Amino acid sequence: MVTGTSGPEWGRLSAEIRGCTLCELHRTRTQAVVYRGGSSPRVVFVGEAPGAEEDRRGEPFVGRSGRRLDEGIAQVGLGPSDFGIVNVLKCRPPKNVFSPTSAVTCHPYLDRQLALLQPDLVVPLGAHALRSLDPAASRITDVAGAPRTAGRWTLFPMLHPAATFRSRQNLARWEHDLLALRSILGGG
Ligand code: URA
């Protein structure tokens, strides 16, 4: 098996995701959103679901939350080839309401993406991403900012970047957890 995004397995998986009709979300999507990032990333960030901008452009985290995430990624010292971004749901849910049922259907895609990417660290962003990767985890605010093991992955949960626009407290927590992530990644 060729790991990363350069082998035929990744191409086949991406095509499968783009053509997926396994749940009702395919009826309302413009396009499925697969991946943005390097071909062999050290760190994979996992969001919840594409929003309107992502649905239109076909890439994860390209709206306001994406700008916050990209700033954070630069702050922790990761370069363009060091990170990757995926979502739990590959298709935008109507009104941006996360669908736990679709998340169950979609989960094998996330598993297969991670198995091919083989990152050193997986960063679930927000409660839904955390639950998808670690169903036993407690609240995101209890566990954000500290590494934990879930199956074969080391997770470093963080708040969803959208939460940083909701309160100054969330923004402070986000910045604090970025410093912890930076030091875990060896950036001091
Ligand atoms: N929020 C997410 O969780 N994912 C995206 O791709 C965009 C916004």
Side-chain angles (χ1 to χ4, degrees):
M1 178 180 86
V2 183
T3 58
T5 64
S6 18
E9 288 92 346
W10 181 267
R12 273 196 292 272
L13 173 57
S14 301
E16 218 181 299
I17 293 171
R18 288 197 192 96
C20 182
T21 55
L22 291 177
C23 83
E24 77 277 10
L25 297 187
H26 81 276
R27 297 185 195 284
T28 47
R29 75 181 177 216
T30 304
Q31 57 192 321
V33 173
V34 178
Y35 182 72
R36 171 162 78 89
S39 59
S40 200
R42 284 173 71 194
V43 182
V44 171
F45 295 83
V46 181
E48 297 179 351
E53 190 75 12
E54 290 77 18
D55 176 68
R56 204 161 53 77
R57 290 177 47 189
E59 292 201 315
F61 279 101
V62 289
R64 186 160 90 127
S65 294
R67 287 189 286 281
R68 176 75 88 211
L69 179 58
D70 285 345
E71 281 162 20
I73 289 172
Q75 266 172 264
V76 300
L78 293 172
S81 60
D82 300 327
F83 72 89
I85 308 176
V86 296
N87 279 309
V88 173
L89 297 180
K90 309 307 184 199
C91 299
R92 183 191 184 198
K95 300 192 175 117
N96 297 334
V97 178
F98 187 83
S99 161
T101 318
S102 292
V104 172
T105 310
C106 221
H107 193 77
Y109 293 139
L110 177 60
D111 270 347
R112 289 165 63 194
Q113 286 182 309
L114 293 176
L116 284 171
L117 293 171
Q118 290 290 321
D120 297 335
L121 194 67
V122 177
V123 180
L125 298 166
H128 294 303
L130 174 63
R131 284 285 146 68
S132 288
L133 291 159
D134 187 356
S138 55
R139 286 152 43 121
I140 184 73
T141 43
D142 293 341
V143 300
R148 52 194 292 120
T149 304
R152 59 196 283 203
W153 305 117
T154 303
L155 306 184
F156 185 87
M158 292 188 66
L159 299 191
H160 192 282
T164 65
F165 299 110
R166 283 186 219 124
S167 77
R168 286 172 60 180
Q169 192 188 0
N170 286 349
L171 180 58
R173 177 70 181 269
W174 171 259
E175 298 286 347
H176 174 270
D177 294 348
L178 282 176
L179 289 177
L181 178 56
R182 185 179 165 86
S183 101
I184 285 174
L185 295 174

